[in-house]
């Protein structure tokens, strides 16, 4: 049975029996409380009874009564199964690198709990309770970012504090698992058969990080349209390219939405009305904003669909079905993260393209040969370099994204003594999306800063409604350039503007339209 989430008036997220979506994962990652309805607990307990019956009957079942990976044919005694679960966490906790950001770890944990709540893992209810307790108490396991080929490593680090090992972050301070137990009066959870395997298994790591990436990408898609409209305004683009008739002839949903957004942003622009016919057509980076941004939106929609399907999936191995008196144990490959790896690769390309075309618009804005504005957007250029070098910065980040966006899913290795001989690379692919988003946000921030400076040469009364409100938001923190100053400070301020949800809400409210 699938699981679901509903948010009550206290912003609690409740796992019930309707499919979970990425939005709810992000709610918990951002601080909402998590709980399970009784019907979800019933599924967890039912699956656990099946595991206990298998152990009682001494049946051979992978990871329940046998060793792991290449040791899948080694049958263990009941007394060895607790040791196996504990040792699985220790041996698999070999991640390296800087810790993941807390919101990513929280997203991973709630995705894991959701996976258990499907009722096919068989993990002990005490384990699920402890993970929920960590989330709701703002206790975040320290999880090294690197070293996973798809699953296992990150999840082992997330589980170590359950048994009193590893480190956690609490109230901004890193403390050991032992200190955690002492401070809260917690006893380590005694893991039983299959608990260790369930804790390190499945796709919660990649799908959790993809949920956070989707939230960031969704926001960036909206800002890309806003900022591109400002650039279009400053470059006196030809609005016919965005006409409903023209765009309807290419009926991709993303193209239609971007076209609608641009028309709304540029509504009532005297500047564009007066510029009609100054050229036959614009350069592609200006004329094809709906086609380029729209394609990224359509890929986002595909990735969103894939992530929600993964959240509706049981991704443990083995899975148990039925009940304690009539059950079936199935070894399969649902933990393989191929869909998430391809989704991450797709989102990487979609986001990288938003940055790529933004850099082209930045170049046209600062170049007097294409902008029709003062060189590098300062009247007194020569003694001042103006915004010349910010285009270099954008070009550097776009170049890095081109390398980062190379698909990870096609890169394969053999592990576990030939037992695992095709790996998805879904977790490093999902992790890489975050870096591409960092770069893309910065490039869009640079375009925002540059487009705002370009619009300073126009009267606010002449420009479109959306362009004007976006310009006003930036001007609350950043004054126009009249001479050179340290630009990196303004780039950081602009990034903060883009990342503040209230600013996007203000623009949408003014336009009376969801972008």
């Amino acid at each position: 049975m699938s699981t679901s989430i509903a948010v009550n008036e206290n912003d609690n997220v409740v796992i019930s029996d309707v499919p979970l979506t990425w939005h709810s994962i992000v709610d918990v990652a951002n601080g909402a409380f998590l709980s399970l309805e009784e019907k979800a607990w019933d599924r967890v307990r039912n699956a656990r009874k099946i595991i206990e019956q298998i152990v009682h009957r001494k049946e051979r079942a992978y990871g329940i009564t046998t060793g792991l990976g290449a040791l899948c044919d080694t049958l263990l005694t009941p007394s060895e199964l607790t040791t196996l679960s504990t040792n699985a966490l220790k041996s698999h906790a070999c991640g390296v690198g800087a810790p993941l950001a807390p919101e990513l770890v929280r997203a991973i944990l709630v995705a894991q709990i959701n996976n258990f709540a499907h009722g096919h893992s068989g993990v002990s209810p005490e384990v699920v309770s402890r993970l929920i307790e960590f989330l709701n108490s703002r206790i975040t396991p320290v999880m090294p970012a690197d070293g996973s080929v798809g699953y296992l490593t990150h999840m082992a680090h997330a589980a170590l504090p359950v048994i009193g090992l590893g480190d956690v972050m609490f109230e901004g301070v890193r403390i050991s698992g032992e200190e955690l137990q002492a401070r809260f009066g917690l006893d380590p959870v005694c893991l039983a058969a299959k608990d260790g395997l369930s804790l390190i298994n499945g796709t919660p790591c990649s799908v959790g990080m993809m949920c956070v990436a989707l939230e960031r990408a969704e926001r960036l898609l909206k800002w890309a349209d806003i900022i591109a409209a400002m650039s279009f305004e400053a470059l006196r683009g030809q609005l016919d390219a965005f006409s409903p008739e023209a765009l309807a002839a290419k009926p991709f949903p993303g193209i239609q939405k971007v076209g609608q957004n641009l028309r709304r942003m540029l509504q009532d622009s005297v500047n564009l009305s007066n510029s009609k016919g100054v050229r036959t057509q614009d350069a592609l980076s200006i004329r094809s904003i709906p086609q380029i941004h729209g394609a990224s939106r359509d890929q986002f929609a595909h990735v969103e669909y894939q992530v929600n399907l993964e959240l509706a999936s049981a991704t443990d191995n083995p899975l148990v079905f039925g009940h304690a008196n009539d059950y079936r144990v199935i070894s399969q490959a649902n933990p393989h993260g191929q869909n998430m790896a391809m989704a991450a690769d797709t989102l990487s390309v979609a986001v990288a393209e938003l940055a790529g075309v933004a850099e082209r618009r930045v170049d046209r804005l600062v170049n007097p040969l294409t902008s029709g504005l003062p060189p590098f957007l300062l009247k007194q250029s020569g003694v001042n370099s103006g915004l010349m070098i910010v285009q270099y910065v954008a070009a550097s980040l776009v170049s890095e994204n081109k390398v980062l966006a190379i698909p990870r899913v096609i890169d394969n290795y053999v592990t576990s003594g030939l037992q695992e001989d095709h790996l998805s690379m879904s977790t490093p692919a999902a992790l890489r999306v975050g870096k591409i988003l960092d770069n893309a946000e910065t490039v869009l921030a640079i375009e925002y800063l540059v487009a705002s400076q370009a619009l300073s040469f126009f009267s606010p009364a002449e420009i479109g409604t959306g362009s004007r409100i976006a310009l006003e938001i930036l001007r609350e923190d950043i004054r126009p350039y009249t001479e050179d100053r340290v630009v990196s400070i303004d780039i950081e301020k602009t990034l903060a503007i883009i990342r503040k949800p209230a600013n996007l809400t203000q623009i949408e409210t003014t336009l009376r339209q969801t972008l």
Side-chain angles (χ1 to χ4, degrees):
M1 187 181 295
S2 297
T3 60
S4 95
I5 280 184
V7 180
N8 67 20
E9 66 271 16
N10 297 317
D11 290 331
N12 288 344
V13 173
V14 182
I15 298 181
S16 180
D17 56 2
V18 179
L20 183 68
T21 69
W22 69 264
H23 293 92
S24 296
I25 295 284
V26 171
D27 285 341
V28 180
N30 290 336
F33 287 86
L34 180 70
S35 63
L36 271 63
E37 282 192 353
E38 193 60 29
K39 60 182 71 175
W41 281 117
D42 287 343
R43 293 194 297 271
V44 172
R45 288 189 286 261
N46 177 70
R48 185 63 205 172
K49 289 177 182 177
I50 295 174
I51 298 298
E52 292 170 351
Q53 188 76 304
I54 292 168
V55 173
H56 175 72
R57 293 179 176 179
K58 299 182 181 179
E59 297 175 2
R60 182 185 297 273
Y62 172 72
I64 301 174
T65 56
T66 75
L68 307 179
L71 303 176
C72 60
D73 291 322
T74 302
L75 191 64
L76 303 176
T77 65
S79 62
E80 295 174 310
L81 296 178
T82 293
T83 303
L84 171 66
S85 281
T86 301
N87 285 346
L89 302 189
K90 293 178 181 177
S91 64
H92 288 63
C94 52
V96 295
L100 284 179
E103 66 270 18
L104 291 175
V105 179
R106 287 179 61 84
I108 290 167
L109 288 182
V110 67
Q112 183 181 48
I113 294 165
N114 168 71
N115 190 36
F116 294 155
H118 286 299
H120 298 296
S121 292
V123 68
S124 297
E126 295 79 10
V127 171
V128 180
S129 294
R130 183 59 55 87
L131 293 174
I132 293 172
E133 190 173 5
F134 282 174
L135 279 171
N136 292 343
S137 300
R138 308 298 190 267
I139 295 167
T140 306
V142 173
M143 189 185 296
D146 301 316
S148 174
V149 296
Y151 60 137
L152 302 175
T153 306
H154 288 72
M155 305 310 302
H157 283 280
L160 283 177
V162 172
I163 59 173
L165 301 178
D167 289 345
V168 300
M169 296 297 298
F170 180 67
E171 295 182 342
V173 178
R174 182 168 177 163
I175 60 177
S176 70
E178 291 181 354
E179 292 178 72
L180 173 70
Q181 307 291 337
R183 181 179 299 190
F184 285 88
L186 298 172
D187 292 324
V189 175
C190 182
L191 302 183
K194 197 177 184 284
D195 284 342
L197 177 59
S198 291
L199 282 166
I200 61 176
N201 216 348
T203 60
C205 192
S206 56
V207 74
M209 288 196 288
M210 284 299 294
C211 291
V212 175
L214 282 171
E215 181 197 32
R216 295 180 65 189
E218 183 178 59
R219 181 173 64 247
L220 195 66
L221 283 163
K222 294 181 178 184
W223 273 109
D225 290 355
I226 293 166
I227 296 165
M230 297 174 72
S231 296
F232 186 89
E233 179 97 56
L235 292 167
R236 290 161 294 195
Q238 300 303 295
L239 268 173
D240 279 352
F242 303 157
S243 67
E245 298 92 333
L247 297 184
K250 192 166 186 177
F252 285 88
I255 292 177
Q256 307 311 307
K257 181 59 177 174
V258 175
Q260 182 186 46
N261 288 346
L262 292 170
R263 291 191 298 270
R264 192 72 177 205
M265 282 287 300
L266 299 168
Q267 187 175 5
D268 301 323
S269 172
V270 176
N271 168 48
L272 293 180
S273 295
N274 293 338
S275 300
K276 186 174 182 179
V278 297
R279 65 185 71 88
T280 304
Q281 65 179 26
D282 297 306
L284 277 174
S285 61
I286 305 302
R287 176 169 33 113
S288 63
I289 294 169
Q291 289 78 9
I292 297 173
H293 289 198
S296 289
R297 280 180 177 261
D298 288 338
Q299 298 315 304
F300 173 91
H302 170 72
V303 173
E304 182 179 43
Y305 176 74
Q306 294 288 308
V307 169
N308 284 338
L309 276 181
E310 194 74 23
L311 289 169
S313 306
T315 63
D316 205 341
N317 178 45
L319 296 174
V320 296
F321 300 86
H323 50 81
N325 296 321
D326 182 16
Y327 57 84
R328 187 179 180 194
V329 182
I330 304 177
S331 289
Q332 30 60 48
N334 283 10
H336 198 291
Q338 192 80 354
N339 280 90
M340 285 303 91
M342 288 188 174
D345 287 343
T346 298
L347 190 60
S348 293
V349 172
V351 171
E353 275 294 275
L354 288 178
V357 71
E359 183 276 331
R360 291 291 77 217
R361 291 191 293 263
V362 169
D363 181 62
R364 300 193 73 81
L365 286 165
V366 299
N367 187 343
L369 299 177
T370 54
S371 71
L373 298 170
F376 309 108
L377 303 179
L378 269 189
K379 287 183 178 179
Q380 295 182 347
S381 53
V383 67
N384 293 297
S385 295
L387 294 176
M388 178 193 300
I389 306 302
V390 292
Q391 186 258 329
Y392 289 48
V393 178
S396 172
L397 297 176
V398 168
S399 175
E400 182 180 19
N401 275 356
K402 288 178 181 178
V403 175
L404 290 173
I406 294 172
R408 293 298 301 266
V409 71
I410 59 175
D411 193 22
N412 265 287
Y413 297 90
V414 178
T415 59
S416 194
L418 300 181
Q419 183 70 15
E420 298 187 357
D421 57 355
H422 185 283
L423 305 170
S424 70
M425 296 294 172
S426 60
T427 293
L431 186 63
R432 178 266 316 270
V433 179
K435 175 58 176 171
I436 291 176
L437 279 161
D438 288 342
N439 288 343
E441 285 175 348
T442 304
V443 173
L444 266 293
I446 288 170
E447 186 187 4
Y448 191 5
L449 185 65
V450 171
S452 296
Q453 177 65 14
L455 289 177
S456 69
F457 298 103
F458 298 83
S459 166
E462 294 180 344
I463 64 177
T465 304
S467 298
R468 185 166 57 252
I469 187 63
L471 179 61
E472 289 172 357
I473 288 171
L474 183 130
R475 286 287 172 251
E476 290 178 7
D477 295 313
I478 302 170
R479 70 186 190 278
Y481 290 83
T482 56
E483 61 183 0
D484 284 345
R485 63 176 187 258
V486 178
V487 185
S488 63
I489 297 172
D490 292 338
I491 294 173
E492 285 300 317
K493 288 180 179 179
T494 310
L495 264 174
I497 292 170
I498 288 176
R499 289 170 175 167
K500 186 177 179 181
N503 290 325
L504 188 56
T505 301
Q506 182 180 348
I507 294 172
E508 290 183 322
T509 300
T510 301
L511 296 177
R512 296 176 182 163
Q513 174 181 313
T514 300
L515 295 171

